Amino acid sequence: MQYKLIVTDMDGTLLNRDQEMTSKNREAIDFAIENGVRVALASGRMYDSAKQHIEYLNMDIPIIACNGSLIKSSNGTLIYSNKIDTGLCLKAVEVLEKYNVYYQCQHEDLLFCKDTDNKDSIYYKINEFMKTQTKVVIEDDLKDSIINNDILKFTIIEENNTSILPVIKEELETIEGLKITSSWENNIEIMSEGVDKGQAIKMLCEHLNIDKSEIMAFGDNYNDIEMLEYAGLGVAMGNSNDDIKEIADYVTDTNEESGFANAIFKFMDTDEVGDLATNIK
């Protein structure tokens, strides 16, 4: 078979709207592994949140977390980590406080959250989304926590006034040394410059001795672009916006239709792989 590594985003890609993996997607992962193909996750999520979705496999799976800021095996072995410089974190906080938006800072195993009027709601939403009891610290002023901890990623969330996000993004982009992206229409994500899922896959491939042409990657949003461009076969989900579909080699069905599995079975079928050139775009 042509592919040795399948790397997949999670939310909007491997997981459905209920943040669950369909039975067909599980079958596809099992099928790939049984045929000697490795599988890795590449998510904006924290490591523990990503890990719990593949624990049923009972085997070691590489996990790219925090949009590529952290790579660990599912058995806990650290492969790579790239924190945001503390001074740059504090500059970003100045911008976020100026616009009075809600934001989170991800440490390897801690989530620092800007205080709001409803602490209970924050706990509920985080744990409902991540499906795990994340260690959450809620503070009115996050500066001390930022200074005393390695921050891998910021997430800014604005549900009521999304029109302010492009303004914030533009101002953040003036801070040299930061990487700015997005995984949902209502958020902005900040990492260290040079950090993205594509760069993380490159490092993982060097670690596993796999060529980029042997990678099949799946994604649905802007934080997946570099990953889709780097892989030998970049697959965009049917629920992706047109910008993502345009840069992909192939567009599969939506995450609600098990588009991940449908593409796996299509391109790992030996009778189909040879026809790849006629199926892309």
Side-chain angles (χ1 to χ4, degrees):
M1 290 188 178
Q2 180 178 352
Y3 302 104
K4 294 182 179 179
L5 176 66
I6 293 168
V7 185
T8 179
D9 171 52
M10 296 183 67
D11 298 289
T13 302
L14 183 64
L15 307 181
N16 61 20
R17 66 167 67 94
D18 296 320
Q19 294 146 38
E20 296 176 346
M21 203 186 311
T22 65
S23 59
K24 190 172 184 181
N25 281 352
R26 286 197 178 203
E27 290 172 8
I29 288 177
D30 292 340
F31 174 75
I33 292 172
E34 288 168 3
N35 282 278
V37 180
R38 301 197 64 156
V39 175
L41 301 181
S43 178
R45 289 176 178 245
M46 295 175 67
Y47 169 78
D48 284 343
S49 177
K51 176 184 173 182
Q52 54 90 27
H53 284 278
I54 46 85
E55 286 180 335
Y56 78 95
L57 289 169
N58 195 31
M59 65 184 301
D60 190 27
I61 300 290
I63 298 174
I64 297 168
C66 303
N67 281 344
S69 297
L70 179 71
I71 309 175
K72 292 176 72 174
S73 65
S74 56
N75 68 13
T77 302
L78 178 65
I79 298 172
Y80 169 80
S81 179
N82 189 341
K83 71 169 187 173
I84 307 173
D85 176 80
T86 301
L88 296 180
C89 286
L90 296 176
K91 287 183 179 181
V93 166
E94 288 183 14
V95 175
L96 304 181
E97 292 289 344
K98 171 183 172 181
Y99 290 98
N100 193 32
V101 289
Y102 172 75
Y103 61 95
Q104 306 169 349
C105 305
Q106 295 181 7
H107 176 64
E108 184 172 331
D109 55 9
L110 285 172
L111 185 64
F112 299 100
C113 300
K114 175 69 177 177
D115 196 9
T116 70
D117 294 333
N118 193 339
K119 290 183 176 67
D120 292 338
S121 177
I122 294 176
Y123 277 114
Y124 174 79
K125 288 182 178 179
I126 289 171
N127 288 312
E128 178 67 16
F129 173 75
M130 294 190 174
K131 304 293 185 183
T132 186
Q133 294 299 310
T134 303
K135 298 176 184 176
V136 179
V137 178
I138 301 177
E139 299 173 312
D140 183 59
D141 188 340
L142 297 181
K143 292 187 182 68
D144 285 344
S145 292
I146 288 171
I147 291 170
N148 295 318
N149 293 276
D150 291 343
I151 302 302
L152 299 171
K153 176 189 164 188
F154 278 76
T155 302
I156 300 96
I157 302 172
E158 178 54 58
E159 296 179 344
N160 298 319
N161 182 22
T162 55
S163 62
I164 196 66
L165 292 177
V167 178
I168 297 172
K169 182 175 182 288
E170 184 176 358
E171 189 160 343
L172 288 170
E173 287 174 339
T174 66
I175 304 174
E176 293 186 9
L178 295 180
K179 166 78 175 188
I180 314 297
T181 188
S182 173
S183 61
W184 296 97
E185 62 182 12
N186 68 343
N187 86 356
I188 297 172
E189 298 178 344
I190 306 171
M191 292 80 63
S192 180
E193 185 176 38
V195 168
D196 57 59
K197 294 182 182 180
Q199 182 65 21
I201 292 176
K202 180 180 179 181
M203 293 181 180
L204 182 60
C205 286
E206 291 173 356
H207 179 73
L208 299 174
N209 194 28
I210 293 175
D211 187 79
K212 61 185 293 186
S213 65
E214 300 169 319
I215 308 168
M216 188 188 307
F218 292 79
D220 76 304
N221 223 311
Y222 289 99
N223 63 335
D224 299 315
I225 287 178
E226 293 88 353
M227 173 173 70
L228 297 179
E229 290 179 330
Y230 182 80
L233 177 64
V235 181
M237 304 302 294
N239 47 284
S240 306
N241 65 35
D242 290 341
D243 291 341
I244 310 305
K245 292 177 180 178
E246 183 64 26
I247 62 98
D249 299 308
Y250 179 77
V251 179
T252 187
D253 301 310
T254 70
N255 61 324
E256 297 300 317
E257 300 167 320
S258 300
F260 168 83
N262 295 340
I264 294 294
F265 291 130
K266 179 180 183 64
F267 291 115
M268 284 188 60
D269 183 325
T270 53
D271 292 330
E272 296 281 356
V273 169
D275 297 327
L276 172 60
T278 62
N279 289 314
I280 63 175
K281 294 188 178 178

